Amino acid sequence: MASFFSNIKRFHRNNATTLRSSPLAEISGALGDLGTLLPLMITLAVNGSISLSTTLVFSGFYNLVTGVVFGIPLPVQPMKAIAAAAIASHTSERETVAAGSVVAIVVLVLSITGLLHWVTRVIPIPVIKGIQFGAGLSLVISAGSSLLQPFMHVWRLPLDNLVWSFAAFVLLILTQKSPRFPYALIIFVAGLVLAIIAVATSAHRRLPWFRVWRPYFELPWWSADAVGMGVAQLPLTTLNSVIAASALAADLLPDLPTPSVTALGVSVAAMNLLGCWFGAMPVCHGAGGLAAQYRFGARSGTSIILLGLFKMVLGIVFGETLLDLLTAFPKTLLGIMVVAAGLELAKVGQSLNHGASDLWESSVEHHKRHRDVSDEERAERWTVMLMTTAGILAFKNDGIGFVAGMLCHWAYKFVDWVERKRSGRRSGERRPLLNA
């Protein structure tokens, strides 16, 4: 408990120092995950599967607490498998939140029993890297297919077309070597202006107006469909939102205490066990969101604290009246932000054979040194990572990718074991007999 409060004090100092030194970068980083949040949240709200105002207030509160407790730009983002299933089947609000509570209960059990921590020790680093690499490429593919590709032959929308995405892409390329450049802030402001113009000139849409949030209690409905959606979400939450997110935090922010998988698991469980009674969207953390917010400038918990406060104000003051404006936000701009986030997450694969955590070992002088990796081991680690990534991309399922990577890893281990046995027998046969 003493270390917990000590870390919070350290995070507070780091948050304050980072905000004073680079406020625009922190604000920009806070907006880095909008490409994932907005499309899913808006569609779920339009379908009546969640309450927009409650989601903004609750997720904003989660952002605020996360920034204080963990001190890093750890995102609060939709549970993608549940969101996709709810959108496809127009699931009711009670079933959608029930699905999130199913995930929360299972993850909480895994966390408090220590099973989640044990699983993390068993999973080899190449498989974790493969999950991160696959998640990054999945973001890039989803950005192209759902946000950018529909506009390939649509030019009748002057405020949302590929001209805007090309301009955003050029700006992204020009600022590649300036990681603290407030790219996401500029894109957000530009998109907001375009959305306001689109709504103001439309006869069927209205700009937001004052409407105080009125929270309500709602009993989740644990139907067979809700339980099924929760089970389908479990591999994504445990592997990407907890295990991969913890590993990525250690890679991106090595100077700050890394949140443990147990702490992240408890956090995911607490968020959904609280929000499921009020119609809030099922949420989790995620490696992709962390990579996005880091890519666009966030380096401390300040970024998501600011985002949380912003979301809470919007939810309390405007609530559901924001739907028209959010729907009008240019998807072509969001698409480029998602592409950049995906590439940032995929980049962690470059440390697989040099710099990965399992390649450091203690020396006699109690200093860590990087061990030598043979060409054969490099090839094996690379193959395991790619096998994991291939499973994720081919089946659009983190669980299948995880199983494929583990099978590949253990196949190599089995072959090594067989070869050691054979070489042991051969050396035994060559050993001279002792004279009696």
Side-chain angles (χ1 to χ4, degrees), residues 190-359:
L192 184 62
V193 171
L194 293 174
I196 291 173
I197 294 173
V199 173
T201 56
S202 172
H204 308 290
R205 293 174 173 175
R206 295 181 60 186
L207 290 170
W209 64 92
F210 182 75
R211 183 178 176 181
V212 177
W213 173 54
R214 292 184 176 87
Y216 58 88
F217 177 84
E218 185 172 63
L219 185 67
W221 180 25
W222 289 280
S223 65
D225 289 340
V227 174
M229 289 193 298
V231 170
Q233 174 68 39
L234 272 173
L236 186 60
T237 296
T238 53
L239 296 173
N240 182 50
S241 303
V242 177
I243 296 174
S246 177
L248 183 64
D251 287 340
L252 297 181
L253 300 160
D255 296 331
L256 292 174
T258 300
S260 67
V261 292
T262 300
L264 292 183
V266 170
S267 176
V268 170
M271 290 189 297
N272 290 284
L273 289 177
L274 174 62
C276 72
W277 307 101
F278 302 95
M281 178 178 65
V283 294
C284 58
H285 303 303
L290 174 58
Q293 292 175 162
Y294 180 90
R295 166 63 183 82
F296 294 120
R299 296 294 184 273
S300 72
T302 301
S303 59
I304 53 173
I305 291 174
L306 295 175
L307 176 63
L309 292 173
F310 182 58
K311 286 161 69 175
M312 290 180 71
V313 170
L314 289 179
I316 293 172
V317 176
F318 298 111
E320 268 69 23
T321 69
L322 287 163
L323 262 181
D324 284 345
L325 182 63
L326 293 177
T327 305
F329 197 96
K331 294 178 177 57
T332 48
L333 295 183
L334 291 176
I336 299 301
M337 292 178 66
V338 174
V339 168
L343 293 176
E344 184 67 30
L345 180 55
K347 277 167 54 178
V348 301
Q350 68 184 350
S351 65
L352 174 68
N353 289 321
H354 185 80
S357 59
D358 63 333
L359 298 180

Side-chain angles (χ1 to χ4, degrees), residues 125-142:
I125 290 297
V127 173
I128 294 177
K129 293 286 186 183
I131 293 170
Q132 295 171 329
F133 192 50
L137 295 183
S138 295
L139 284 176
V140 174
I141 293 171
S142 68

Side-chain angles (χ1 to χ4, degrees), residues 32-48:
D33 198 32
L34 291 183
T36 300
L37 173 67
L38 289 185
L40 293 177
M41 183 177 69
I42 292 169
T43 309
L44 288 170
V46 170
N47 289 352

Side-chain angles (χ1 to χ4, degrees), residues 111-183:
S111 300
I112 62 178
T113 58
L115 286 174
L116 203 54
H117 183 68
W118 176 81
V119 168
T120 306
R121 295 202 309 270
V122 171
I123 300 175
I125 290 297
V127 173
I128 294 177
K129 293 286 186 183
I131 293 170
Q132 295 171 329
F133 192 50
L137 295 183
S138 295
L139 284 176
V140 174
I141 293 171
S142 68
S145 60
S146 63
L147 294 174
L148 297 175
Q149 192 172 342
F151 291 87
M152 287 294 290
H153 305 290
V154 177
W155 297 92
R156 67 178 183 275
L157 303 174
L159 301 177
D160 192 7
N161 56 52
L162 292 183
V163 172
W164 294 104
S165 64
F166 179 75
F169 180 73
V170 170
L171 181 61
L172 179 69
I173 297 300
L174 293 176
T175 58
Q176 281 287 344
K177 293 190 175 182
S178 303
R180 307 309 300 275
F181 180 81
Y183 176 86

